Amino acid sequence: MNFTRALWYYLWIAPHAFQALILPAMLYHRLHRRYPAFFTYTAFAIVEFLWFFLVARFQPAGYLRGYSIDLLVSTILRFAVLCEVIVNLFGDYKSLRRVGKRLMAGGLAVFFVAATLLAVFVPGQNSDHSWWSVFVMDRTASILQCGLLLLLFLFSRYIGLSWRSPAFGIALGLGVFACVEFAISAIRAQFGSAQRIPLDLTSMLTYHFCVLIWLFYTWMPERKPAASAMAIPEHDLEAWNTELQRLVQR
Amino acid sequence: MTIAVLLVLMACLTLALVLWLAKGSVPKLLSTNISEDSNNCLRSVDIQAFRNLIDPAEEAFLRSNLPSAEFRMVQRERMWAAIAYVSCAAYNASILMKVGESARDNPNLEVAEAGRALVDDAIRLRLYALHAMAQLYLAVALPGLVVCPLGVPDRYEKMTGLVIRLRSLQYPVRSVVAAL
């Protein structure tokens, strides 16, 4: 077995072995109640790996169909996980629930229009039509996920939201994977199955890295911010005193 | 091929931006005390001076008493100053958000509720500030434009009151000023 083949098998098997460790971590920390979509996605990823590893690779005729169905379900589950992260993040803040929902809905509409226009006007030059449609759909979904995650990170950074560990880890892993898949699906939509092996290895390596991020953040317990006696600088005490007096006199 | 190259570049740029944003948002792995971080110092904000800068009556007085060229120059300076005040207010809101966050999990329900109220108000102020900055930058570009971001000083004053309430709940025995 040469090095590339060995690496390919390792990158195919190892992430799913690590994902099998994520499930007990979530059960132990009771995270499956807060993040049921992510729990379902992880379980699905393990099941689909077992299906492809033990069954589908011996039936090449049905491989494209199986891959298409797997891609569709995975994409839907990743969107569900993304929604779950957003709801968990904004749900902790009463003032953000309406604004956050509108922002994400607006972002989704804009990115959907952009991705659809790209699919229509820049369809690629892939001669293999059956795989081409899969790659274009994958590219469209990746654009949506990338865009939403970027918007989420930008908004939460500006507002100064404190991320709880699992939500941050899940979002980071999704974001990294979505960005790399965006690039890879753009190349595949244009050039088809050429350079399949390097692209596959890149995608699998990225997924491996993302699974390790998820494993780390699901095993790490959540840390609450420490209560602090923050000292206010002296030059502010006068301003605060004035403010206090004004409030008292009302 | 050009489109594919552009899309790949966009994906790489998005990845770099996500990683950079994520780096700044990493949840602290060790428990932290906000007062130990030297970057978390409040900045002084003179609310009355800020209100004067964005007062429509003040602007109308200047507009009617100054030549148009001079009014535009003065108005631009006033808007730049207002932007500085809004930035300070937004910065203070981000600091006080952390104070509110640390109080949200307090076992005392009143303190927890006060912490939550402070966090919500600080977020609202940050959102108002974003909107106000957009209006003020537009006013710098178009000095004749009438803008009145009164939401910022009003919200800032409310936030001040919430901080005082939170601190008095957390330190009920000492006086409020000593608590501050």
Side-chain angles (χ1 to χ4, degrees):
Chain A
M1 185 183 283
N2 63 20
F3 173 73
T4 307
R5 199 166 176 81
L7 180 66
W8 197 86
Y9 272 107
Y10 170 76
L11 290 175
W12 189 19
I13 298 167
H16 299 96
F18 286 122
Q19 278 181 308
L21 298 176
I22 291 176
L23 295 178
M26 291 188 76
L27 289 168
Y28 178 73
H29 291 297
R30 293 193 172 87
L31 294 172
H32 60 291
R33 290 175 192 168
R34 277 192 83 171
Y35 305 100
F38 182 67
F39 189 83
T40 308
Y41 169 72
T42 306
F44 174 76
I46 296 167
V47 167
E48 63 94 2
F49 159 72
L50 290 171
W51 166 255
F52 276 104
F53 191 78
L54 298 173
V55 179
R57 66 187 177 134
F58 301 113
Q59 297 176 354
Y63 187 86
L64 173 61
R65 195 173 180 183
Y67 180 82
S68 305
I69 294 170
D70 166 60
L71 188 62
L72 179 66
V73 175
S74 291
T75 304
I76 291 170
L77 283 173
R78 279 201 287 272
F79 273 109
V81 172
L82 184 51
C83 289
E84 191 172 70
V85 166
I86 291 168
V87 164
N88 265 290
L89 183 64
F90 291 160
D92 283 346
Y93 305 95
K94 199 168 67 176
S95 48
L96 273 185
R97 282 173 206 155
R98 211 170 62 172
V99 169
K101 273 184 199 169
R102 282 184 186 172
L103 180 71
M104 289 297 139
L108 184 67
V110 166
F111 292 122
F112 181 75
V113 167
T116 307
L117 287 173
L118 198 65
V120 168
F121 292 108
V122 189
Q125 295 172 5
N126 195 337
S127 55
D128 186 349
H129 187 76
S130 47
W131 280 104
W132 165 82
S133 53
V134 171
F135 296 148
V136 170
M137 293 298 287
D138 193 20
R139 187 182 69 182
T140 305
S142 298
I143 290 172
L144 285 172
Q145 287 174 12
C146 265
L148 282 176
L149 281 159
L150 183 62
L151 193 60
L152 182 66
F153 275 111
L154 275 170
F155 184 69
S156 63
R157 179 73 180 264
Y158 170 74
I159 295 293
L161 299 179
S162 66
W163 288 79
R164 293 197 184 264
S165 300
F168 174 78
I170 293 168
L172 179 61
L174 275 180
V176 169
F177 187 65
C179 290
V180 173
E181 274 298 294
F182 176 18
I184 289 174
S185 56
I187 296 169
R188 281 179 176 151
Q190 192 70 27
F191 301 110
S193 301
Q195 301 301 320
R196 186 176 65 88
I197 292 174
L199 290 176
D200 282 348
L201 287 175
T202 307
S203 178
M204 291 156 87
L205 184 65
T206 307
Y207 192 69
H208 190 315
F209 176 66
C210 296
V211 167
L212 290 176
I213 293 175
W214 292 332
L215 185 65
F216 176 76
Y217 278 99
T218 47
W219 272 109
M220 194 178 70
E222 283 188 48
R223 298 264 179 187
K224 292 176 185 172
S228 70
M230 191 186 75
I232 298 175
E234 272 197 29
H235 62 76
D236 269 336
L237 281 178
E238 198 182 317
W240 286 75
N241 253 334
T242 310
E243 200 51 47
L244 178 59
Q245 282 166 12
R246 206 177 55 78
L247 284 168
V248 167
Q249 280 160 12
R250 272 193 191 160
Chain B
M1 168 129 173
T2 314
I3 294 291
V5 169
L6 278 171
L7 290 176
V8 170
L9 282 172
M10 268 175 62
C12 294
L13 208 67
T14 309
L15 179 62
L17 198 53
V18 164
L19 289 173
W20 179 73
L21 288 167
K23 191 183 152 201
S25 308
V26 172
K28 298 267 191 272
L29 298 181
L30 304 172
S31 60
T32 55
N33 206 322
I34 294 167
S35 57
E36 288 168 3
D37 188 345
S38 60
N39 289 330
N40 288 313
C41 290
L42 291 174
R43 294 174 188 167
S44 179
V45 179
D46 187 341
I47 287 294
Q48 201 47 51
F50 179 42
R51 282 190 189 280
N52 284 338
L53 282 174
I54 58 172
D55 185 5
E58 187 90 6
E59 188 185 317
F61 175 79
L62 289 169
R63 194 191 291 269
S64 59
N65 287 283
L66 291 174
S68 56
E70 203 177 324
F71 167 75
R72 278 197 294 275
M73 191 184 71
V74 167
Q75 185 64 359
R76 277 205 176 95
E77 293 298 320
R78 292 173 79 241
M79 293 300 102
W80 279 121
I83 287 169
Y85 276 114
V86 171
S87 300
C88 283
Y91 175 80
N92 287 349
S94 68
I95 302 292
L96 293 174
M97 237 185 96
K98 293 178 192 173
V99 174
E101 286 273 11
S102 65
R104 275 201 325 173
D105 295 320
N106 196 296
N108 183 329
L109 291 176
E110 263 194 283
V111 171
E113 186 52 43
R116 270 191 286 272
L118 179 59
V119 167
D120 278 333
D121 220 64
I123 289 173
R124 284 199 180 94
L125 179 59
R126 299 274 296 174
L127 291 171
Y128 274 120
L130 188 62
H131 186 236
M133 296 276 262
Q135 285 183 308
L136 290 168
Y137 275 117
L138 207 57
V140 168
L142 305 165
L145 196 68
V146 177
V147 296
C148 190
L150 282 173
V152 175
D154 291 343
R155 192 59 62 174
Y156 190 80
E157 283 182 338
K158 191 182 170 201
M159 197 176 65
T160 306
L162 287 171
V163 172
I164 293 169
R165 181 167 173 261
L166 175 62
R167 284 310 198 204
S168 63
L169 285 170
Q170 285 178 316
Y171 307 99
V173 176
R174 295 150 60 188
S175 69
V176 176
V177 172
L180 289 173

